[in-house]
Amino acid sequence: QVQLQESGPGLVKPSETLSLTCTVSGDSISSSTYYWGWIRQPAGEGLEWIGRIYTNGITHYNPSLKSRVTISADKSKNKLSLQLISVTAADTAVYYCTRENHGSDSWGQGTLVTVSS
Amino acid sequence: DIQMTQSPSSLSASVGDRVTITCRASQDISSYLAWIQMKPGKAPKSLIYSASSLQTGVPSKFSGSGSGTEFTLTINSLQPEDFATYYCQQYNSYPLTFGGGTKVEIK
């Protein structure tokens, strides 16, 4: 059974870069079956799909974030990464790492990132 | 982007009740729809994919139906562990998008 665990700073200053890592166990991010991605949820709001990466390195991003986001994968460590540049308070949210197969079929527990000075 | 509209946004129900949640897509998404259950402090859980297929290990009390633009999630015999927030998610095209959620509360 796949497990996903997000990690990274819980507090980021405005205009700086948000960086998160997702450690995947029980499955390989090199698998050709799945995409691996990120979703976020601001407090009291809905879910926003950020983007995803495939084993061949192809990425898809939400157009609303495309200019600021990068998703990458380290196959040797079986880890996924998210970078979001030039953050503002609007980027404060719980960030989830996900596996995609017929939708987001597996999720991490999520990690809260607050953007504040 | 495909807009997903979910209703109701919240409902109160009693243990043993049957509840139905509706999700409408702004355009035809065939059967590319999933239902996600979220509880505070826990990893979200996918319940249904392809509109009506149960994920492995999900009890048959959960069922999904629909295609095109209209979908429903039905929960039979509501139990305390089913009180949660439920989201529909379309994966017909990216960006993947979600309904606004339905919070199922205890009456």
Side-chain angles (χ1 to χ4, degrees):
Chain A
Q1 181 177 340
V2 64
Q3 292 190 324
L4 305 101
Q5 181 64 59
E6 306 88 350
S7 59
L11 181 64
V12 181
K13 289 182 169 56
S15 80
E16 295 192 344
T17 297
L18 180 159
S19 296
L20 295 176
T21 298
C22 174
T23 301
V24 179
S25 57
D27 199 353
S28 170
I29 64 171
S30 299
S31 167
S32 61
T33 305
Y34 308 113
Y35 281 93
W36 302 87
W38 293 89
I39 287 168
R40 70 181 184 177
Q41 183 174 37
E45 297 186 28
L47 294 159
E48 180 178 35
W49 182 82
I50 298 171
R52 64 189 181 188
I53 188 167
Y54 191 56
T55 184
N56 60 5
I58 288 179
T59 52
H60 298 132
Y61 297 125
N62 194 319
S64 66
L65 297 168
K66 188 174 183 178
S67 63
R68 299 194 293 128
V69 68
T70 302
I71 294 174
S72 58
D74 185 334
K75 293 180 182 179
S76 66
K77 295 181 179 178
N78 217 37
K79 290 186 177 184
L80 191 65
S81 294
L82 169 70
Q83 284 202 322
L84 185 64
I85 66 172
S86 305
V87 297
T88 69
D91 295 309
T92 294
V94 175
Y95 286 76
Y96 296 97
C97 174
T98 66
R99 187 181 76 176
E100 283 188 26
N101 180 37
H102 299 294
S104 306
D105 74 337
S106 298
W107 300 59
Q109 275 203 312
T111 188
L112 173 63
V113 179
T114 301
V115 178
S116 175
S117 55
Chain B
D1 298 5
I2 297 175
Q3 305 302 315
M4 305 301 293
T5 303
Q6 221 176 303
S7 61
S9 57
S10 66
L11 64 89
S12 294
S14 300
V15 172
D17 283 353
R18 175 182 180 181
V19 300
T20 299
I21 299 168
T22 298
C23 183
R24 180 179 293 119
S26 61
Q27 63 189 71
D28 189 341
I29 59 169
S30 185
S31 296
Y32 297 110
L33 186 101
W35 289 97
I36 311 294
Q37 179 191 63
M38 295 188 74
K39 296 180 181 180
K42 298 191 73 175
K45 181 180 181 181
S46 177
L47 302 174
I48 288 171
Y49 65 96
S50 297
S52 61
S53 298
L54 283 179
Q55 292 282 6
T56 302
V58 173
S60 59
K61 62 190 297 183
F62 292 95
S63 63
S65 65
S67 66
T69 61
E70 297 279 341
F71 302 88
T72 60
L73 171 70
T74 299
I75 311 171
N76 287 305
S77 187
L78 207 60
Q79 295 301 306
E81 61 269 22
D82 301 326
F83 291 95
T85 302
Y86 295 85
Y87 292 88
C88 59
Q89 178 197 40
Q90 70 79 20
Y91 54 96
N92 177 75
S93 61
Y94 68 88
L96 279 62
T97 50
F98 297 85
T102 297
K103 186 173 185 179
V104 178
E105 299 176 298
I106 301 175
K107 184 182 287 183

